[in-house]
Amino acid sequence: MEGYKRWVRQNKEFVHSFETLSAGLMWVPPELYSDSEIVPEAVTTILGIITTINAHIIETAPTQDITDSTESYSFPYSLFLSVVACLESLVEGAAQHYYGDNKKWNFLVVTEASKVLVRLSLFRKSGYKMLLSGMETSNDDTDSINLTSQDQTGSKPGSGHAFSYMKNNHSPNPYDVEERALSALSRFGENAKMVSEPVTQNGVGQNHQREIAAQCTMLSSSRVDLNHHQEASMEPPVSVTERPTLLDILSKKGLCGVLCFIGEVLFITRPLVHVLFIRKYSIRSWTPWFLSLAFDCIGMSILSLATTSVAGVKEPRVYLSASEKDEVKRRKLLFVLYILKDPFFSNYTRQKLQSIEKVLEPVPVIGFLTAQAVELIIGYQTRYTYISGS
């Protein structure tokens, strides 16, 4: 596996060209090489998984700049979510082919439940920050919607060296070692002056010589300790990231932090709730459609309320980073998918598309392109995983 990773990282351009060529070949009509839709779907899924793995290998390549690297996790959350997203369409097609339209929802519940569990775990690991890139990657921005670096209390400049060192290190203070060395050096000078005086008959000079030898031994040991601590202080400190808990969010961000947490949980769990209610009431029932829409509307309303300053309210305003603003825009665009979801599509959208097709049918070229677009939309809508927005 390490050899394959090394090869992919060394041949990025070739891997990208091969993936582009493979994606282009998938536009060949599937009836040319198979009568079943499962075979082309399986080929597309395999190519998608290979592309996802290669992209993950390239993105996780070790770099020399350690300070700018994002926090890594023992479990590849992003890779797992991307692979499951590639498998969803194949799972739905195979389940529908072998088990029918009604029982395929059991398999979709399993896939959606696995994604929800992994996303909730990633949400907790990232410090309850908004998930990015379609809820597939963690939020590593320092200025995020929950606990930012400004909330962390740092040491104030000007505090005592010894106190600040003992606060962050359990080893002996290097400043104490330096003081010991200076004291031993001064005592060594005083004793040297006394030895230079005439030696008395009671052997005082010999005693001073022994004291000087002892002071030399202490001075050498102090120098060794001082050099050792100076070398240790030059080593880069190991930063330990403390992830905030729900109690920290409640205490530091107050109501705004709690609202952001609730809105994110609603958005993460919405696809699973939608599939569960479809499994219970069928795809043609309005209950799953309205419930899913309610989850999205409530989540976006809560986020909008938390990020908007209100006059007379003392709660701190929650600021969004640039990547979080892009994620909010992407989530707003997902509302367009509700016109493609049943029962709204069967009762309203299909009729509108067919009427537009009939009106533009006599027009050369435009009528043909409109017919192809309508056919593509109707075929696209038959797969739930294409329009689920999860």
Side-chain angles (χ1 to χ4, degrees):
M1 189 62 183
E2 292 298 329
Y4 179 75
K5 290 182 180 180
R6 194 181 308 109
W7 181 84
V8 170
R9 290 164 181 168
Q10 294 175 354
N11 301 273
K12 299 179 183 178
E13 299 297 332
F14 175 77
V15 171
H16 180 69
S17 301
F18 176 76
E19 292 171 354
T20 303
L21 178 62
S22 302
L25 291 177
M26 293 311 301
W27 287 96
V28 178
E31 58 269 9
L32 295 180
Y33 53 88
S34 177
D35 296 333
S36 175
E37 296 181 356
I38 299 178
V39 174
E41 193 70 51
V43 175
T44 304
T45 300
I46 294 173
L47 292 176
I49 292 175
I50 294 175
T51 302
T52 302
I53 294 176
N54 292 337
H56 178 76
I57 292 174
I58 295 174
E59 291 175 358
T60 57
T63 56
Q64 295 180 353
D65 190 3
I66 303 176
T67 57
D68 295 337
S69 60
T70 58
E71 183 179 2
S72 59
Y73 304 105
S74 58
F75 182 80
Y77 293 96
S78 178
L79 179 61
F80 176 84
L81 293 172
S82 300
V83 170
V84 172
C86 294
L87 287 172
E88 270 188 321
S89 180
L90 178 61
V91 170
E92 181 182 2
Q96 184 175 2
H97 180 76
Y98 292 106
Y99 297 96
D101 294 335
N102 295 329
K103 293 185 178 181
K104 77 174 184 178
W105 299 107
N106 297 329
F107 296 89
L108 293 179
V109 167
V110 174
T111 57
E112 292 294 346
S114 63
K115 291 197 297 184
V116 167
L117 292 177
V118 173
R119 283 169 178 168
L120 289 176
S121 178
L122 180 60
F123 183 47
R124 183 181 65 86
K125 291 283 187 179
S126 63
Y128 301 101
K129 300 176 184 179
M130 178 188 294
L131 301 183
L132 307 177
S133 302
M135 299 185 295
E136 292 185 0
T137 58
S138 61
N139 190 347
D140 296 319
D141 291 339
T142 55
D143 187 15
S144 60
I145 65 173
N146 282 325
L147 296 179
T148 64
S149 57
Q150 298 176 355
D151 295 327
Q152 307 296 332
T153 57
S155 58
K156 296 181 181 180
S159 58
H161 293 292
F163 176 75
S164 61
Y165 182 83
M166 292 174 62
K167 193 174 181 181
N168 300 304
N169 201 331
H170 298 288
S171 58
N173 194 340
Y175 299 100
D176 295 339
V177 177
E178 185 178 358
E179 291 177 0
R180 287 167 48 198
L182 293 175
S183 177
L185 184 61
S186 65
R187 287 197 298 270
F188 174 76
E190 293 177 358
N191 292 330
K193 290 181 180 179
M194 294 178 64
V195 172
S196 62
E197 298 177 355
V199 181
T200 60
Q201 295 179 355
N202 55 3
V204 177
Q206 295 179 358
N207 294 333
H208 283 297
Q209 290 179 358
R210 286 193 293 268
E211 291 180 3
I212 291 174
Q215 295 295 333
C216 290
T217 304
M218 183 183 298
L219 180 61
S220 61
S221 63
S222 300
R223 288 178 176 177
V224 172
D225 293 339
L226 181 59
N227 293 333
H228 173 73
H229 286 289
Q230 286 178 348
E231 292 176 358
S233 62
M234 294 177 62
E235 296 179 358
V238 179
S239 60
V240 179
T241 304
E242 295 183 359
R243 299 185 182 92
T245 61
L246 290 178
L247 185 60
D248 295 333
I249 296 176
L250 181 61
S251 60
K252 293 185 178 181
K253 284 298 182 180
L255 180 60
C256 293
V258 175
L259 290 177
C260 291
F261 171 79
I262 295 175
E264 192 68 13
V265 171
L266 287 177
F267 195 82
I268 291 174
T269 57
R270 189 266 308 166
L272 177 60
V273 174
H274 190 200
V275 173
L276 287 173
F277 275 79
I278 289 178
R279 178 174 172 268
K280 182 178 181 180
Y281 294 100
S282 79
I283 188 65
R284 298 188 179 278
S285 175
W286 284 98
T287 302
W289 191 87
F290 276 113
L291 186 62
S292 177
L293 181 63
F295 267 59
D296 283 337
C297 290
I298 294 174
M300 293 302 300
S301 300
I302 288 176
L303 184 61
S304 177
L305 179 63
T307 55
T308 304
S309 59
V310 181
V313 179
K314 296 183 179 180
E315 290 290 341
R317 180 181 175 182
V318 177
Y319 295 92
L320 296 177
S321 63
S323 57
E324 289 169 345
K325 291 179 181 179
D326 294 337
E327 176 64 18
V328 172
K329 294 178 182 179
R330 189 197 69 84
R331 295 182 181 184
K332 290 181 179 179
L333 290 176
L334 294 180
F335 282 95
V336 180
L337 295 177
Y338 280 96
I339 65 175
L340 298 178
K341 296 179 181 180
D342 283 328
F344 190 92
F345 182 83
S346 301
N347 295 329
Y348 300 101
T349 308
R350 183 191 291 269
Q351 284 77 1
K352 293 294 182 180
L353 291 176
Q354 291 176 349
S355 61
I356 294 174
E357 181 183 2
K358 291 181 180 179
V359 171
L360 297 178
E361 185 177 3
V363 181
V365 182
I366 297 179
F368 173 77
L369 295 178
T370 303
Q372 296 297 320
V374 171
E375 183 180 359
L376 181 62
I377 293 174
I378 294 176
Y380 183 84
Q381 190 272 338
T382 56
R383 285 293 171 84
Y384 171 80
T385 53
Y386 293 160
I387 60 175
S388 62
S390 63

